[in-house]
Amino acid sequence: MFFVDTIEVPGLGNRSYLAGGERTAVAVGPPRDVDRVIAAAARRGVRISHVVETHVHNDYVSGGLELARLTGAAYLVPAGAHVSFERIPVRDRDRTAVDAAAGLVLRALATPGHTPHHTAYVLEQNGASVAVFTGGSLLIGTVGRPDLVEPRLTEELARAQHASAHRLAAELPDDTAVLPTHGFGSFCSAGQTDGGVTTIGRERAANEALTRDVNTFVADLLAGLDDIPAYYAHMGPVNAAGPAPVDLTPPAVADAEEIAARLAAGEWVVDLRNRVAFAAGHVSGSLNFEAEGQLATYLAWLVPWGKPVTLLAESAGQLAAAQRELVRVGIDRPAAAATGDPSAWVREGETPAAFPRATFADLAARHPGEGVVVLDVRRDSERVGGFVDGSVHIPVHALHRRLGEIPEGEVWVHCAGGMRAAVAASVLDAAGRDVVAVDDAFDAAEKAGLTVRTV
């Protein structure tokens, strides 16, 4: 008997795995908050004997080194990865016993493409392949993007991705479960992932890396690559150096005076409440990144690296969950925090700031009109599918650097669904602009009577 448990990291669109028999198990690509993996092993009643990495991650801080230290597990990392810590270097076709009594063995397969050193691990039971941990190689319906390491290597790595996908399909039976790390909303994925489970056979029939010739595949892959979150530039070096242990203890408590002082010093004060509550009342100058949204991805993307961050939350639970999300992308310790609501976060004699929310129908009643600016904060890849005629386009992740490009007037800001528009509205509000947050699905724009163009 064997098991494979999936450890979801939904905020980043990633998955980690714990696999083993009745006595011992291997952890694959563990998240920074390793207590979740340790708890999963405890529920199974197994000892973590091995921790493995498919590659040095560019999208999150790995918990592999810390998990190996805490459990005494052997830490397996591809031999070609340049790291600064002790580990067991893994080479192509190396075999590692996971649980001898269960007949479980990991077989390494070099699968360059997502990174030059990328390695997949085939889980075998009594010599039969039952699953393959593909990391950022073969994903569900797509592959990991090849442009995160070095721009000059992108085409070479894209061709390697094609070859690696074909190697996996050639060497593994159709019923082998494919278990990727990326692809569930992660920006490490080169395309959209459909569904949550797949096999080699399903991918052989549907994955473009396996159904298209290499030249067509590479051309389409490179043409479809999206923006790279800015914080990715820091993840690889952090992982290669060996991440520090996580500290999830509560931050120092900030009162209204300290919050004001931190804002005056140019630090970031981040309000984690939902966008409806934020629009209705917030500390002037604070920024809204909803705890329930892609908090880690978008906050880490926008905030200048190393800038102190103070968190404002409606509850201690919301604050703790946000801390856990943020350590996964290297925002290790909030400078300070406060819980409650804006009445406790503003100084005596001050009142919370606010701005209106609206729908595309409300916008249609005003646009085009004098003094109305429509700001689209979606990514380039989204805008090509249609945009409001006359709108200004600045992706949300670039907004804080390009505020001067927005014309004078009342700014009606929208995205695809409302979450990023709320972030952008808070940035504009903090900069003193007159803003309206369009909290609506973009599909409603044309139905509301707005002219939507595609060229």
Side-chain angles (χ1 to χ4, degrees), residues 123-409:
L123 182 65
E124 298 179 344
Q125 184 177 42
N126 299 322
S129 301
V130 294
V132 56
F133 300 103
T134 55
S137 182
L138 188 67
L139 310 184
I140 301 177
T142 185
V143 295
R145 58 193 297 173
D147 59 331
L148 303 181
V149 177
E150 160 61 57
R152 292 170 294 182
L153 295 178
T154 296
E155 182 173 348
E156 176 186 334
L157 289 176
R159 292 181 178 277
Q161 269 299 44
H162 186 270
S164 292
H166 279 261
R167 181 186 186 188
L168 290 167
E171 294 196 19
L172 299 174
D174 279 355
D175 61 354
T176 306
V178 175
L179 303 173
T181 301
H182 305 311
F184 310 95
S186 167
F187 281 89
C188 268
S189 175
Q192 183 66 38
T193 288
D194 295 318
V197 295
T198 193
T199 62
I200 288 291
R202 291 180 186 176
E203 294 309 305
R204 189 194 308 280
N207 195 305
E208 291 183 352
L210 297 171
T211 60
R212 295 188 173 190
D213 68 87
V214 62
N215 290 329
T216 303
F217 167 76
V218 169
D220 289 348
L221 178 64
L222 299 185
L225 292 174
D226 213 332
D227 300 323
I228 300 174
Y231 71 92
Y232 275 27
H234 304 282
M235 299 296 94
V238 168
N239 285 324
V246 168
D247 179 3
L248 290 175
T249 58
V253 176
D255 60 15
E257 290 292 339
E258 182 176 350
I259 291 169
R262 290 187 176 278
L263 283 167
E267 297 181 11
W268 278 37
V269 174
V270 172
D271 191 325
L272 301 168
R273 295 174 302 141
N274 70 71
R275 56 186 181 262
V276 177
F278 182 87
H282 55 269
V283 177
S284 180
S286 63
L287 304 177
N288 183 213
F289 291 81
E290 291 181 310
E292 295 79 11
Q294 289 181 281
L295 167 66
T297 295
Y298 282 100
L299 178 54
W301 198 338
L302 270 69
V303 68
W305 190 251
K307 174 82 74 173
V309 174
T310 294
L311 299 178
L312 306 180
E314 63 185 9
S315 68
Q318 186 180 67
L319 174 61
Q323 282 185 257
R324 184 175 289 272
E325 288 269 343
L326 294 176
V327 297
R328 296 170 182 159
V329 292
I331 301 177
D332 283 8
R333 291 293 296 167
T339 57
D341 62 63
S343 63
W345 302 336
V346 296
R347 293 176 293 189
E348 187 174 352
E350 296 178 342
T351 57
F355 54 76
R357 296 165 52 249
T359 65
F360 278 109
D362 298 323
L363 176 58
R366 296 285 309 277
H367 177 73
E370 187 174 352
V372 174
V373 178
V374 180
L375 175 64
D376 180 350
V377 296
R378 296 174 300 159
R379 298 188 300 278
D380 293 347
S381 59
E382 297 171 283
R383 187 170 168 88
V384 296
F387 58 89
V388 175
D389 188 35
S391 60
V392 177
H393 179 227
I394 303 176
V396 67
H397 58 266
L399 183 62
H400 59 299
R401 301 189 304 271
R402 298 173 57 185
L403 290 171
E405 299 177 26
I406 304 171
E408 292 299 317

